[in-house]
Amino acid sequence: MIVVLMGVCGCGKTSVGQALAEKLSWEFADADLFHPDVNKQKMSAGVPLTDEDRYPWLRKLHTLICSWASEGRSGVLACSALKKSYREVLTTGQVPQDPSTSSVSPRIPHQHSDSPRPNVLFVYLKGSKDVVRSRLESRTGHFMPAGLLDSQFLTLEEPDESENSVSVEIAQPLMAVVMDIYQIIVELI
């Protein structure tokens, strides 16, 4: 099983992910480490990423997910995955078509994957803007400034019933969040 911890910046994806992966003895990866430098520079400058910026990054993460799945390994990935289309790229590797032109984005070729869709559970780390903002303002050494939080909430499409997902409230201590997710996973595997 692959667990993707998703949500806006500052919701605790990395902290929860590291603790959860340790508890499960699974691999952990932080999607932020897969961003190209140009994306990190944009975010550091307070410029929100576009879909065009995100799709190559998401495709790299899809490759990671598929490698874990094909090798029979379980993993925890901390990744914002803010839009449903981003979560689709993570699970299928396919970039959505541009509705205005009825074609796939010209910068990223459309690829069909012959491999089976990996078993991915999206865990939405849900919190109010106030809770997340207070966490972001106390965080140091990260390229994502608190000023981009509003754009993150504007971009966010909460998972719906059509997706393999659960929501966990983050307005509780870190280990309580980890244990909530752990219990969900234990029931599924």
Side-chain angles (χ1 to χ4, degrees), residues 58-79:
L58 292 166
R59 294 275 301 272
K60 283 183 191 176
L61 297 170
H62 168 73
T63 300
L64 171 68
I65 288 169
C66 287
S67 78
W68 281 348
S70 69
E71 295 168 10
R73 299 181 311 186
S74 295
V76 177
L77 174 64
C79 177

Side-chain angles (χ1 to χ4, degrees), residues 10-22:
C11 70
K13 296 179 294 289
T14 301
S15 300
V16 170
Q18 289 170 332
L20 180 65
E22 184 176 319

Side-chain angles (χ1 to χ4, degrees), residues 1-7 13 20 58 61-62 65 75-93 117-126 157-160 162-168 181 184-185 188:
M1 171 182 276
I2 311 299
V3 172
V4 176
L5 299 176
M6 59 154 294
K13 296 179 294 289
L20 180 65
L58 292 166
L61 297 170
H62 168 73
I65 288 169
V76 177
L77 174 64
C79 177
S80 55
L82 296 175
K83 288 184 179 180
K84 185 173 185 172
S85 63
Y86 301 168
R87 297 186 290 274
E88 277 292 311
V89 175
L90 288 171
T91 56
T92 68
R117 190 176 180 135
N119 181 15
V120 176
L121 173 67
F122 289 97
V123 177
Y124 171 38
L125 299 179
K126 185 174 185 169
E157 296 171 1
E158 293 187 359
D160 62 34
S162 71
E163 299 176 77
N164 189 24
S165 65
V166 295
S167 295
V168 174
I181 300 167
I184 291 165
I185 292 169
L188 293 174

Side-chain angles (χ1 to χ4, degrees), residues 122-136:
F122 289 97
V123 177
Y124 171 38
L125 299 179
K126 185 174 185 169
S128 72
K129 195 181 287 189
D130 289 338
V131 166
V132 176
R133 186 176 308 282
S134 71
R135 291 179 179 189
L136 275 177

